[in-house]
Amino acid sequence: YAALYPLSLPQLNLNLAVYWAPQIFVTPDTLYLVLWSLAKQPQPGQDAAAHRTEMIQELAKWATLLQTCSPGAKVQLVGSHKDEVADEALVAEQCRWMAAGVHAELSAYRETQQRELDQLSLMQDLSPHASERKRQLQRVLSRPLRLAEHALAVSAKSLAGMEELRAEMVEAAFDTDAFPEFGKNQPGTYSAIHRKLLRDHPNESSLTFAEMQASAERQSKFNCARLQVSFVGS
């Protein structure tokens, strides 16, 4: 089991894309949390080494997808269900080998991409398809994925590790190299829509897309009864 949580900046809206989601969910200038379950056990007849390799490869698939579709994005590996693993040393060990394994797989993937780019660069009279592939590889390899060096362990049940994860996310958000637009002023329209939603739904913490559309379509009435107009000489 693996899940991918993209945290888009600067709005900091959290969206969920489970492991079967297509790459349409992958966007640039995004902080991703790539999760795996610390409590997942090997399949019947599967030894520990094979189980470890399988889990690393599952998360590495997400890392290589992000490297290709969102070069330069920041990625934090997160082990979930920490409360279901009593041995803290085992939790720490899992986080260590997962981070090391995904980094190794991502590095090997980039080396493969670089070899392909080198081959295309030596070719003359590239076809339109090959030329486009060359441009894609140049774009991807010029912006390496910002994969965190370490993995974090958390529990949604006990909230263990959540403060550490929150701190890592805030620190990542203020990385001006990764997110140069974060903290800059947003269009006034965004604030106006936000205020209107708060007025229309004061007691609701979340809305469906249809509800947001309905609120946006409703025009606020303007009372002109007390409006006065006067001309002032200059």
Side-chain angles (χ1 to χ4, degrees):
Y1 164 76
L4 179 69
Y5 291 79
L7 182 64
S8 298
L9 299 174
Q11 291 84 4
L12 298 181
N13 292 324
L14 194 63
N15 302 302
L16 169 65
V18 293
Y19 71 94
W20 45 261
Q23 65 189 46
I24 191 173
F25 289 97
V26 179
T27 57
D29 299 326
T30 301
L31 168 62
Y32 291 89
L33 306 182
V34 183
L35 277 66
W36 88 97
S37 174
L38 293 164
K40 184 178 180 181
Q41 298 297 315
Q43 298 292 332
Q46 184 182 42
D47 61 31
H51 174 63
R52 176 182 299 187
T53 299
E54 179 183 23
M55 295 185 69
I56 290 174
Q57 290 178 344
E58 185 65 37
L59 264 68
K61 289 178 183 178
W62 282 113
T64 54
L65 172 67
L66 294 172
Q67 171 62 68
T68 300
C69 300
S70 184
K74 299 203 72 166
V75 178
Q76 176 64 59
L77 301 177
V78 181
S80 66
H81 297 77
K82 180 182 179 182
D83 59 288
E84 297 183 21
V85 184
D87 189 343
E88 289 288 336
L90 180 59
V91 169
E93 181 186 0
Q94 279 204 52
C95 288
R96 282 194 297 271
W97 59 249
M98 182 60 78
V102 175
H103 269 280
E105 291 285 337
L106 182 61
S107 178
Y109 180 68
R110 285 182 56 81
E111 290 174 3
T112 300
Q113 289 181 315
Q114 185 62 59
R115 285 195 296 271
E116 183 182 357
L117 177 59
D118 292 342
Q119 291 174 353
L120 289 172
S121 298
L122 294 173
M123 297 173 61
Q124 301 293 327
D125 300 323
L126 294 176
S127 67
H129 175 75
S131 295
E132 177 60 26
R133 176 60 178 168
K134 180 180 177 180
R135 285 192 293 271
Q136 290 176 347
L137 288 169
Q138 289 172 331
R139 178 180 65 89
V140 167
L141 291 169
S142 66
R143 299 187 64 195
L145 197 69
R146 302 167 188 267
L147 180 63
E149 291 297 326
H150 62 283
L152 301 178
V154 302
S155 167
K157 184 176 181 180
S158 67
L159 302 183
M162 286 298 185
E163 278 302 312
E164 184 181 1
L165 175 58
R166 175 183 176 277
E168 290 285 347
M169 292 166 64
V170 170
E171 181 178 352
F174 284 92
D175 182 346
T176 55
D177 290 334
F179 309 114
E181 297 300 318
F182 181 67
K184 294 186 178 180
N185 292 335
Q186 296 298 305
T189 306
Y190 293 1
S191 297
I193 293 174
H194 185 223
R195 290 193 299 270
K196 183 170 179 57
L197 291 174
L198 291 176
R199 288 195 303 270
D200 290 352
H201 307 274
N203 299 317
E204 298 172 71
S205 60
S206 63
L207 300 173
T208 65
F209 184 68
E211 289 171 334
M212 288 191 289
Q213 281 185 310
S215 291
E217 289 171 357
R218 286 195 294 269
Q219 297 297 321
S220 300
K221 294 182 178 180
F222 185 72
N223 186 357
C224 300
R226 303 179 62 182
L227 179 64
Q228 296 181 354
V229 179
S230 61
F231 292 95
V232 180
S234 60

